[in-house]
């Protein structure tokens, strides 16, 4: 009888504790909220879905330099980018892409795009070629516009990738450019794909991790020293991923 009474008292106490005191919080509600991947240091711009429109661009006077395997080269490097990105972002950001079916022949010669200045990756070519592609290919009134190529998806963060039959490599907001030789010449086979991926991450706002003008790396990841080695050994630093919402 005494045991039964003790048991009833304990049970009653537990019931009172549950209803009057409540169950202790083990998890912080704030930490349970789902965080989406976003532009570097900008939570208002989602990169959960990224779409890359890829082009092979040749200045007017370099048409004879067009290589037959350019589509395969672009496809290979876009696939490597997609795989690397999925792994680093743990599936929280996905890349889709389309390759424009024809090489884009520029309206001007190479010196117009390069302006004879190729320091810091040739940003002038990036600006001028991107503007020409926007006007001629992505604008419905452009001479190279193709409705079946232009993506109609407001959810995606749009990026333009340019394989350039010229010099330099550079990346900025929404657009990046890489010299075709980096992706096809054996001299650059060790780090060509890493250069492609490095420039892509500039389109997401990620800054370089090396000092200018010495190029001394301040990080071992893809934005620093890692850009000079095989992509299979590269990674995005933990701090950079945090600033991208991962």
């Amino acid at each position: 009888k005494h045991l039964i009474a003790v048991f009833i008292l304990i049970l009653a106490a537990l019931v009172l504790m549950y209803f009057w005191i409540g169950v202790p919080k083990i998890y912080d509600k704030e930490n349970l909220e789902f965080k989406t991947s976003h532009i570097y240091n900008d939570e208002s711009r989602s990169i959960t879905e990224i779409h890359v429109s890829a082009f092979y661009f040749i200045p007017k006077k370099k048409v004879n330099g067009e290589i037959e395997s350019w589509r395969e080269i672009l496809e290979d490097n876009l696939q490597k980018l997609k795989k690397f990105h999925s792994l680093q972002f743990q599936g929280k950001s996905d890349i889709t892409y389309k390759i424009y079916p024809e090489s884009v022949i520029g309206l001007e010669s190479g010196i117009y795009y390069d302006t004879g200045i190729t320091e810091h990756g040739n940003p002038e070519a990036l600006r001028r070629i991107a503007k020409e592609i926007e006007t001629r290919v992505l604008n419905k009134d452009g001479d190279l516009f193709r409705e079946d190529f232009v993506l109609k998806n407001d959810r995606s963060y749009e990026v333009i990738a340019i394989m350039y039959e010229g010099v330099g490599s550079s990346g900025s907001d929404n657009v990046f450019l890489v010299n075709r030789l980096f992706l096809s010449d054996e001299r650059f086979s060790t780090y060509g794909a890493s250069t492609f991926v490095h420039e892509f991450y500039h389109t997401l706002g990620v800054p370089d991790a090396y000092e200018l003008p010495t190029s001394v790396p301040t990080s071992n990841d893809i934005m620093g020293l890692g850009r000079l080695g095989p992509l299979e050994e590269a990674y995005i630093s933990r701090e950079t991923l945090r600033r991208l919402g991962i």
Side-chain angles (χ1 to χ4, degrees):
K1 292 182 178 180
H2 293 295
L3 288 174
I4 294 174
V6 170
F7 177 77
I8 292 173
L9 287 172
I10 292 173
L11 183 61
L14 289 173
V15 171
L16 286 172
M17 288 177 64
Y18 183 85
F19 286 104
W20 290 97
I21 300 175
V23 179
K25 290 184 178 180
I26 299 174
Y27 302 105
D28 185 349
K29 181 180 178 182
E30 183 177 343
N31 291 333
L32 289 176
E33 293 180 355
F34 179 74
K35 295 182 179 180
T36 60
S37 54
H38 54 73
I39 291 295
Y40 190 82
N41 284 343
D42 186 352
E43 296 183 11
S44 67
R45 302 169 70 191
S46 171
I47 55 170
T48 300
E49 297 180 30
I50 300 171
H51 182 74
V52 179
S53 298
F55 301 89
Y56 176 40
F57 188 92
I58 309 172
K60 181 172 62 174
K61 292 186 177 181
K62 290 188 177 182
V63 175
N64 292 334
E66 178 177 344
I67 61 171
E68 294 182 0
S69 59
W70 67 265
R71 292 178 186 81
E72 291 80 3
I73 294 169
L74 261 178
E75 176 77 34
D76 181 54
N77 283 276
L78 287 163
Q79 279 291 330
K80 289 176 180 177
L81 167 63
K82 182 180 175 71
K83 181 179 178 180
F84 178 86
H85 185 79
S86 179
L87 178 63
Q88 298 298 311
F89 276 69
Q90 303 165 40
K92 295 179 181 177
S93 176
D94 182 53
I95 292 177
T96 59
Y97 63 84
K98 268 190 176 182
I99 299 174
Y100 191 75
E102 303 169 7
S103 57
V104 177
I105 309 303
L107 298 176
E108 306 289 344
S109 61
I111 192 62
Y112 168 80
Y113 302 109
D114 299 338
T115 64
I117 302 171
T118 57
E119 287 88 352
H120 309 306
N122 202 1
E124 191 58 41
L126 178 70
R127 284 190 288 268
R128 295 189 176 200
I129 294 172
K131 183 177 180 181
E132 188 169 319
I133 286 175
E134 287 276 2
T135 302
R136 299 178 62 199
V137 182
L138 303 180
N139 187 304
K140 66 179 181 179
D141 297 321
D143 62 306
L144 299 177
F145 176 77
R146 292 181 58 142
E147 190 170 1
D148 61 338
F149 178 79
V150 178
L151 180 74
K152 297 180 178 66
N153 181 357
D154 294 335
R155 298 188 307 274
S156 294
Y157 179 77
E158 296 291 323
V159 171
I160 294 174
I162 303 164
M163 184 170 69
Y164 179 40
E165 198 64 56
V167 297
S169 63
S170 188
S172 186
D173 189 26
N174 290 94
V175 58
F176 71 104
L177 170 149
V178 178
N179 175 356
R180 189 265 301 169
L181 288 176
F182 282 143
L183 308 179
S184 63
D185 195 301
E186 283 296 320
R187 292 174 296 171
F188 311 109
S189 60
T190 301
Y191 59 88
S194 296
T195 300
F196 189 82
V197 172
H198 170 93
E199 300 302 347
F200 165 79
Y201 282 109
H202 283 316
T203 71
L204 307 186
V206 184
D208 284 317
Y210 57 86
E211 297 176 354
L212 294 174
T214 63
S215 294
V216 175
T218 56
S219 168
N220 290 325
D221 80 338
I222 190 69
M223 304 313 293
L225 185 62
R227 78 191 193 283
L228 303 177
L231 185 60
E232 294 77 14
E233 299 175 9
Y235 65 95
I236 301 175
S237 73
R238 179 64 251 172
E239 176 59 21
T240 296
L241 285 173
R242 185 186 68 81
R243 292 174 180 267
L244 291 164
I246 303 301

